[in-house]
Structure formats: C-alpha cells, structure tokens
Amino acid sequence: MTQFESFMSGWGWAVFCLVSAFFSAGVSLINQYMKQPGHFLVFWSRVWVVLVLAPLIAQMTMPTDPLFYGAVLLTALLGVTADIRTFNVAARYGGGVVLRVQPLIVFLSFFLWFFFDPHMLGKYIAHPFNTAGILVALLGCAYFSARLRKCHISRAAFTEMLPVRVCYSLTTVLGKYAMTHGPLTGAVYGYMFAQSAIGAAMIGGYSIWLEGKPLPAPVVWRTKKMLIASLLAGFGWILSMTFKNYAMAFIPNPSYQAAINQTSPVFVAIFYWLVKHKEEADVASGMGVVASATLLALMAV
C-alpha cells in the first residue's frame, strides 16, 4: 500500500470530501449571480472539461471494464439532467436554497449502496457502536442542513428539486461503483472525461434543437457572460469531482460523501456573511452540520 493509499484509507477520504464540498459550494453560487439558462451552462461547462482533460487522458491508463463505462453512461444521463435543473433553480431561488434541499441524498445513497455491496450490512452488524454513531451522524447532517436557514425553504424550490435528489442519489452510488472498476487515476479522470463528453453531446443536440424553436424570448447561448459562467462552472466542477472521486475510491459507503457534502451550505453561509448578502443563516445549525460530519468521520474511519 502506498503512502497516499494509506492516507486515503484513514482520514484522507473525509478530508477530500470536505474539500470537494467547498468547491461544490462555489459552483452552486455561480448561476445565482450569472443567471444563465441551465442547459446551455451545463453544455459549455462540459465542453471545457473535455478540452482541459483530453491531454491528461491521453497520458493515462484508462479503465477497460465495461461495467465502468456502463456506470458512467448512467451517471451522465442522470447527472446532466440534475445539473440543468439545479442551475435553473439556483438562478431563481439562490445557491444556498439549492444546497439546503438535498439532505435526502444522504439516506437514499446509504441504503442504495447495499444493492452493490450487500456484505457491507454484515460489517455494520459486527460493529454496532460505530454503526449507531454513523446513523446519528447521517441524521444530524441531514437535519441541521435542512434547518440551516431560519425561514422555511420555498415549497416551490423543494418540489422542483425532488427529481434532482433522486438523480444525485443514484449518481452518488454509481460513482462509487465506477471507482472500483478501473485503475485509480484513470478511473478518477476517465469518469469526468467520459461523463462530460457524453453529457456535452446530449445537451448540444438538445440546445441546437431548442435554439431553432419559437420561444417567447430569444435565447442566446454564445455570450461573454455565458463564457465566464461556464468556465467558472467547468473548472469548479473539475476540482470538486477530482477530490470527490478520489474519496469515493476509498470511502466505505458513498452516503458518507453525501453527508459531508452537506457542509456546502455552511461554506455558502460564510460567503453570504462576507459579502453581506441579505439572507441570514442559522449559525447553530451550521455548526451542527460540521459537528455531524466530524462525528461521521470519527465513527467511520
């Protein structure tokens, strides 16, 4: 076992999940300020990802297992759909709201993983104290994340994000599954490259079709503002997914990543405080998310 593998098998995956959550928070804020059409923004951001990663991919040993590419294909179909809606909802309600309506992903991904690794259930039974702590931590991450805003979450935003939560739950589990079917570095970057290439092709065709449709207002998808927004989204996504994928390769259950990712609203709340955004966050609930994520790491490592 290399020094990196030893680190990642211990505290490393938790640290990488936290760094991924930081960049994920940044990506969620982009369209709150840029307010670009979600499908165009996802398209161009995926194009930049493909262009940036192509030279790296050419130097790597890529996975050869068909199961890897099958999982990536499914994550592309689900992830792109969810990303488009997420950007659109963020433009209407703000990045903080988008992040705070996603705690359900923690529980869906926790139980879905048993279909891929049924032996994990035996490990939980063999360590009841740790398992109880993990469940408390997962519940805490979800509970405090949902309470992070003092006023209630918009019912409209909650309803619009429901399909997103299902899609992201499935991509969380499939992402972990993909990381176990190829060489580590090739799987990490191959996942991002292949998913982005598939996603760009899907959305590109749809965007061209949409541009030719008679709409109430003209939709332009080649503007300076779109360029800036898509570059920020693309590079933010690469950074977030790099740390997330490396963590997924070593994490016992993908729901742990989803739980630690609930610290994203805390980072958003800090940003809002720094820029004096009018939305006020519940500091106590924010600290509750951090404490729950810490407990999760202690119980799971």
Side-chain angles (χ1 to χ4, degrees):
M1 180 180 289
T2 66
Q3 187 175 3
F4 177 74
E5 290 172 338
S6 178
F7 168 70
M8 291 300 294
S9 297
W11 293 101
W13 63 260
V15 175
F16 271 47
C17 285
L18 190 62
V19 176
S20 175
F22 173 80
F23 289 114
S24 178
V27 172
S28 74
L29 287 167
I30 291 170
N31 219 32
Q32 177 179 340
Y33 295 95
M34 294 296 188
K35 299 191 183 303
Q36 297 299 296
H39 49 288
F40 292 150
L41 180 54
V42 174
F43 168 75
W44 282 118
S45 67
R46 292 299 185 267
V47 168
W48 300 133
V49 171
V50 171
L51 292 176
V52 169
L53 293 184
L56 298 176
I57 294 297
Q59 307 298 321
M60 294 179 183
T61 302
M62 295 292 290
T64 57
D65 193 335
L67 292 175
F68 172 84
Y69 294 99
V72 171
L73 175 61
L74 289 174
T75 63
L77 296 172
L78 295 166
V80 163
T81 302
D83 286 348
I84 291 172
R85 177 162 294 203
T86 297
F87 278 129
N88 286 334
V89 173
R92 285 193 291 272
Y93 303 102
V97 173
V98 164
L99 291 172
R100 286 192 294 269
V101 298
Q102 298 194 43
L104 186 61
I105 296 172
V106 176
F107 298 102
L108 288 177
S109 57
F110 179 81
F111 292 107
L112 280 172
W113 184 243
F114 289 129
F115 290 99
F116 293 85
D117 186 7
H119 299 292
M120 196 72 188
L121 183 60
K123 296 178 182 178
Y124 284 129
I125 294 174
H127 300 86
F129 175 77
N130 295 73
T131 300
I134 288 169
L135 291 174
V136 169
L138 292 174
L139 180 62
C141 284
Y143 173 75
F144 288 115
S145 178
R147 285 181 54 88
L148 196 54
R149 188 182 183 188
K150 290 182 179 179
C151 61
H152 69 279
I153 295 172
S154 165
R155 179 175 298 180
F158 184 90
T159 302
E160 289 181 42
M161 288 296 290
L162 182 58
V164 171
R165 293 195 293 274
V166 175
C167 288
Y168 281 154
S169 298
L170 291 169
T171 57
T172 297
V173 174
L174 289 168
K176 164 66 175 174
Y177 182 75
M179 290 305 106
T180 63
H181 287 80
L184 179 57
T185 301
V188 167
Y189 291 98
Y191 176 93
M192 291 189 285
F193 180 81
Q195 189 195 81
S196 295
I198 296 169
M202 289 170 46
I203 309 172
Y206 173 72
S207 298
I208 292 172
W209 172 81
L210 186 65
E211 193 175 34
K213 298 288 287 182
L215 299 174
V219 178
V220 181
W221 58 316
R222 293 178 291 272
T223 65
K224 182 178 180 180
K225 197 170 185 180
M226 177 65 75
L227 173 64
I228 296 172
S230 61
L231 282 171
L232 290 172
F235 284 104
W237 189 81
I238 288 175
L239 291 169
S240 176
M241 289 300 297
T242 297
F243 284 96
K244 176 182 176 179
N245 284 348
Y246 272 114
M248 282 295 197
F250 294 91
I251 208 165
N253 188 302
S255 65
Y256 302 171
Q257 185 279 326
I260 295 178
N261 194 59
Q262 296 306 307
T263 57
S264 293
V266 179
F267 292 122
V268 170
I270 294 172
F271 173 80
Y272 283 161
W273 177 76
L274 290 173
V275 301
K276 302 192 184 324
H277 184 70
K278 66 179 181 179
E279 180 182 75
E280 295 183 2
D282 182 347
V283 177
S285 293
M287 293 304 100
V289 174
V290 175
S292 298
T294 303
L295 175 62
L296 174 62
L298 290 171
M299 292 293 100
V301 171

